[in-house]
Amino acid sequence: MVISKGLVRTKIPLSKPVFDEEMRDAAIDALQNERFVMGESVFEFEEEFARYCGTKYAVSSSSGTFALQLSLIALGVNPGDHVVTTPFSFVATANVALHVGAVPVFADIDAKTCNIDPELAKEKLTNKTRAVIPVHLYGFPADMKRIVEIFGEKGCAVVEDACQAHGAEYYGQKVGTLGDAGCFSFYSSKNMTVCGDGGMVVTNDEDVARKVAKLRDCGRASHYEHDLFGFTARLNTVNAAIGRVQLKRLDEWNEKRRACARLYDKLLSDLDGLVLPPNGSFDVKPVYHLYVIRTNLRDKLKIWLEQRGIQCGVHYPLPIHLQPAYRELFAYRGGEFPNSEFLSKVALSLSMYPELRKDEIGYVCENIHDFFDKI
Ligand SMILES: Cc1ncc(COP(=O)(O)O)c(C=O)c1O
């Protein structure tokens, strides 16, 4: 074990963003030769991202949160409307409803996939419901056929939160392209990053694309004319330039993540005390943003691994409805969404990134075996 000043030095991190020479060159080139804001690289990145996803339009933003928020506005979600979503996600998924004056209405997850359960979501549908935000959590596609069927039929907007699922596929289509708008984050731990904050909305709806493009740029109709109440939520040129290089590698990186997941599956499948992530299929192809195992001994196992230099994560220790801000506003007390609350106690994210080596996965798994042997 490597000890440094009484702390265990991390040998295997949870995630590892890539920043290489090609990205550095692209960044410097953009800084030297383009406008810092709304330079050529922004529009090229948007075009390439749309092509990658297979949509007509892609509009970048300064974060995944803004991608979601601007999509809701562009799709006509108004103050007082209800937005159905999952309580088991990053808090931004629900915050965006509040930011537009709407009410986030939670429906519990399917305990197997950790994604919103369409049948429970259906129970939340009322004449106030204006949109649904399914999340492809951990890179595993949500049950979009059923969600689109249930909510699309009622005229509700379907906004996919694909912030953890760049490149994941669902019946031959990239996630993010299955509803009215799909939203991505390029935060540094994601399957691809812009080496800073950034986001993207993809859509086939020209009107939505135009509105999001205006909203992220102060509501501009032209330079000095503003016909919408917009935001300063643009992606910086330098980040777009890095994003273009990252996008070229995304498929190769996702393939490597899948290979890592297969190896974890193989090395951990004999442990009775552990539940492994759901497998994909021919039709549902996850991208393993995170590799999340489940055990009742989660907290002890986490400490055990971290003492051995293996960083772990918990996504998420508190479901959104039990976050202090939500408890206060909506008087949640716990017990409302049992699957999410259960998962928040047993889920443990293991190291996952494209450059993770076989011997490192072997080391992680060996230590997990040791833990279960000793308890
Ligand atoms: C599921 C989910 N939704 C939304 C977001 C928000 O994205 P950002 O951090 O880029 O605002 C994230 C990323 O952190 C996320 O993981």
Side-chain angles (χ1 to χ4, degrees):
M1 198 194 311
V2 187
I3 306 279
S4 144
K5 289 187 185 161
L7 295 171
V8 181
R9 196 186 303 154
T10 299
K11 287 193 258 183
I12 307 180
L14 182 62
S15 68
K16 209 186 221 177
V18 179
F19 182 66
D20 66 12
E21 220 171 300
E22 192 184 351
M23 293 161 204
R24 192 198 58 190
D25 290 348
I28 290 172
D29 187 56
L31 286 169
Q32 286 178 332
N33 299 312
E34 297 183 43
R35 294 160 52 178
F36 293 158
V37 177
M38 296 301 229
E40 275 296 291
S41 292
V42 172
F43 303 103
E44 275 157 355
F45 184 36
E46 290 176 346
E47 241 180 80
E48 288 158 5
F49 201 83
R51 200 175 314 131
Y52 176 81
C53 289
T55 50
K56 286 190 191 155
Y57 310 99
V59 184
S60 60
S61 60
S62 56
S63 68
T65 305
F66 259 117
L68 287 163
Q69 184 178 333
L70 303 187
S71 297
L72 290 182
I73 300 171
L75 283 157
V77 176
N78 288 311
D81 288 344
H82 286 191
V83 176
V84 175
T85 192
T86 164
F88 198 58
S89 180
F90 181 58
V91 69
T93 305
N95 283 353
V96 293
L98 291 165
H99 290 323
V100 305
V103 181
V105 175
F106 296 117
D108 207 357
I109 53 170
D110 169 340
K112 189 162 170 262
T113 62
C114 293
N115 288 327
I116 195 166
D117 181 328
E119 305 314 319
L120 295 177
K122 188 178 177 185
E123 290 173 14
K124 304 292 168 138
L125 200 55
T126 67
N127 56 10
K128 287 191 170 170
T129 312
R130 186 69 202 87
V132 61
I133 309 180
V135 180
H136 307 294
L137 200 73
Y138 309 149
F140 193 91
D143 183 355
M144 289 305 296
K145 277 194 178 168
R146 207 48 204 125
I147 290 164
V148 169
E149 210 169 79
I150 294 167
F151 286 87
E153 235 173 49
K154 298 282 177 195
C156 297
V158 179
V159 177
E160 293 174 73
D161 181 337
C163 287
Q164 300 188 359
H166 318 63
E169 287 180 26
Y170 182 85
Y171 290 86
Q173 259 178 273
K174 294 272 192 302
V175 303
T177 69
L178 304 148
D180 298 293
C183 302
F184 295 84
S185 164
F186 300 122
Y187 178 72
S188 33
S189 63
K190 304 299 188 202
N191 289 36
M192 62 168 285
T193 178
V194 294
C195 297
D197 279 313
M200 192 76 83
V201 177
V202 297
T203 182
N204 286 315
D205 184 326
E206 185 180 347
D207 188 46
V208 170
R210 281 189 194 286
K211 276 200 182 123
V212 172
K214 272 188 191 177
L215 287 166
R216 59 109 189 250
D217 189 23
C218 312
R220 279 201 169 89
S222 63
H223 193 69
Y224 291 114
E225 197 189 2
H226 305 258
D227 61 0
L228 288 178
F229 297 104
F231 305 83
T232 301
R234 298 168 295 240
L235 181 66
N236 287 319
T237 305
V238 61
N239 297 108
I242 294 169
R244 294 185 67 201
V245 182
Q246 293 248 342
L247 181 60
K248 287 193 288 181
R249 315 264 176 85
L250 180 60
D251 282 342
E252 175 201 328
W253 287 340
N254 281 341
E255 224 19 84
K256 286 184 173 170
R257 283 176 182 270
R258 289 186 182 115
C260 291
R262 282 195 294 272
L263 186 55
Y264 271 127
D265 286 348
K266 186 172 150 204
L267 298 179
L268 295 174
S269 60
D270 59 333
L271 281 171
D272 288 339
L274 224 53
V275 175
L276 304 182
N279 285 320
S281 63
F282 182 74
D283 294 319
V284 177
K285 294 188 180 150
V287 286
Y288 296 95
H289 170 56
L290 293 167
Y291 186 88
V292 180
I293 59 170
R294 303 169 197 188
T295 166
N296 292 329
L297 300 169
R298 191 268 308 279
D299 293 337
K300 285 195 176 120
L301 176 58
K302 183 171 185 288
I303 293 168
W304 174 273
L305 292 174
E306 287 180 345
Q307 282 173 342
R308 284 151 184 82
I310 299 163
Q311 193 183 29
C312 306
V314 175
H315 301 89
Y316 294 91
L318 272 187
I320 300 173
H321 67 290
L322 297 183
Q323 293 290 348
Y326 282 79
R327 273 182 188 262
E328 197 181 321
L329 190 61
F330 296 102
Y332 287 117
R333 294 164 172 271
E336 290 90 355
F337 305 105
N339 288 343
S340 300
E341 291 172 33
F342 175 69
L343 260 298
S344 71
K345 293 189 180 79
V346 300
L348 182 69
S349 310
L350 302 181
S351 309
M352 174 54 83
Y353 46 88
E355 303 312 323
L356 185 62
R357 297 193 313 264
K358 283 183 183 165
D359 63 296
E360 291 173 320
I361 294 174
Y363 178 74
V364 175
C365 295
E366 231 171 73
N367 279 286
I368 295 175
H369 275 269
D370 286 351
F371 173 81
F372 282 102
D373 284 348
K374 290 199 171 94
I375 48 158

